[in-house]
């Protein structure tokens, strides 16, 4: 049971599908599975990736292996596999990646009604103050599928699925843990 809420950011930089509309691209169906657009955020580097066509049955490990080298040695041997923003430290490798989502990022829409009719009202509600001390960042093991993460009872898709990627080998890892101290759990 996947819950979806309003889009909370402009994704026009990532896709022309809904550019300028303030609406989000709906998942497609292929071979009986939902295919999602997914936003991966790298808070340490203030950058992101927009993955189009992520099958809900594909694990985080399977997807991230397409984007990152497996180890630091692999990164040194094949620098073309390393994202430009990680070329100095080589911290973002498969053996060091931690994936998170934020609980209740937005309020869910009523899935039995048309999304568009609820959209503006829901976006207005999101402007109300939220107590972030009660929200958790949930660590998603890389062997979990996108569907398993999206089905977590506390996850509400904020228009498009959003996940945070942090390297456990980076000095930023300690800062990230301190920022979310007492608010981390594992899926």
């Amino acid at each position: 049971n996947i819950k979806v809420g309003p889009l909370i950011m402009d994704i026009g930089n990532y896709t022309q599908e809904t550019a300028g509309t303030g609406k989000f691209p709906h998942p497609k169906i292929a071979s009986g599975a939902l295919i999602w657009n997914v936003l991966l955020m790298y808070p340490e580097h203030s950058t992101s990736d927009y993955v189009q066509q992520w099958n809900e049955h594909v694990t985080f490990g399977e997807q991230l292996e397409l984007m990152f080298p497996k180890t630091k040695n692999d990164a040194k041997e094949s620098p073309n596999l390393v994202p430009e923003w990680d070329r100095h430290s080589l911290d973002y490798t498969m053996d060091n990646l931690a994936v998170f989502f934020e609980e209740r990022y937005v309020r869910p829409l009523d899935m039995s009604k048309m999304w568009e009719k609820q959209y503006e009202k829901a976006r207005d509600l999101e402007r109300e103050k939220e107590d972030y001390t009660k929200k958790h960042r949930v660590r998603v093991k890389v062997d979990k599928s996108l569907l398993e993460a999206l089905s977590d009872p506390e996850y509400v898709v904020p228009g498009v699925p959003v996940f945070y990627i942090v390297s456990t080998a980076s000095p930023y890892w300690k800062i990230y843990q301190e920022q979310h101290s007492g608010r981390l759990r594992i899926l």
Side-chain angles (χ1 to χ4, degrees), residues 4-39:
V4 178
L7 185 66
I8 47 111
M9 65 187 82
D10 180 11
I11 59 168
N13 292 339
Y14 302 106
T15 178
Q16 294 303 305
E17 186 176 352
T18 56
T21 66
K23 296 187 176 150
F24 54 88
H26 297 287
K28 313 285 188 277
I29 298 177
S31 302
L34 288 176
I35 310 299
W36 294 82
N37 293 329
V38 177
L39 185 60

Side-chain angles (χ1 to χ4, degrees), residues 63-157:
Q63 180 62 46
L64 294 172
E65 281 178 352
L66 300 173
M67 303 167 67
F68 295 96
K70 289 184 182 190
T71 66
K72 199 167 207 164
N73 283 340
D74 290 343
K76 289 175 184 175
E77 291 174 12
S78 302
N80 60 320
L81 297 175
V82 179
E84 187 176 314
W85 43 263
D86 190 41
R87 296 240 164 100
H88 295 300
S89 64
L90 303 178
D91 288 334
Y92 282 73
T93 58
M94 285 301 299
D95 58 349
N96 293 320
L97 296 181
V99 179
F100 295 88
F101 67 79
E102 185 171 341
E103 289 182 342
R104 300 178 307 280
Y105 202 98
V106 294
R107 288 184 177 91
L109 300 174
D110 181 346
M111 301 305 281
S112 67
K113 299 177 183 174
M114 291 293 293
W115 292 0
E116 285 79 7
K117 292 184 180 183
Q118 303 175 69
Y119 197 76
E120 289 304 318
K121 182 178 179 183
R123 284 182 67 187
D124 290 341
L125 287 173
E126 288 312 313
R127 293 187 182 101
E128 295 176 8
K129 293 280 184 209
E130 190 74 42
D131 184 359
Y132 286 94
T133 63
K134 294 181 181 171
K135 292 184 179 186
H136 288 84
R137 286 279 169 104
V138 179
R139 185 167 182 176
V140 180
K141 295 179 182 177
V142 294
D143 66 344
K144 298 286 185 187
S145 69
L146 178 61
L147 177 60
E148 288 175 289
L150 298 180
S151 298
D152 183 280
E154 297 299 327
Y155 188 55
V156 179
V157 177

Side-chain angles (χ1 to χ4, degrees), residues 22-68:
K23 296 187 176 150
F24 54 88
H26 297 287
K28 313 285 188 277
I29 298 177
S31 302
L34 288 176
I35 310 299
W36 294 82
N37 293 329
V38 177
L39 185 60
L40 300 176
M41 308 286 283
Y42 308 98
E44 176 179 10
H45 296 284
S46 300
T47 191
S48 59
D49 282 317
Y50 189 74
V51 179
Q52 296 179 340
Q53 301 186 13
W54 187 331
N55 183 305
E56 66 183 352
H57 299 297
V58 170
T59 68
F60 283 84
E62 291 167 333
Q63 180 62 46
L64 294 172
E65 281 178 352
L66 300 173
M67 303 167 67
F68 295 96

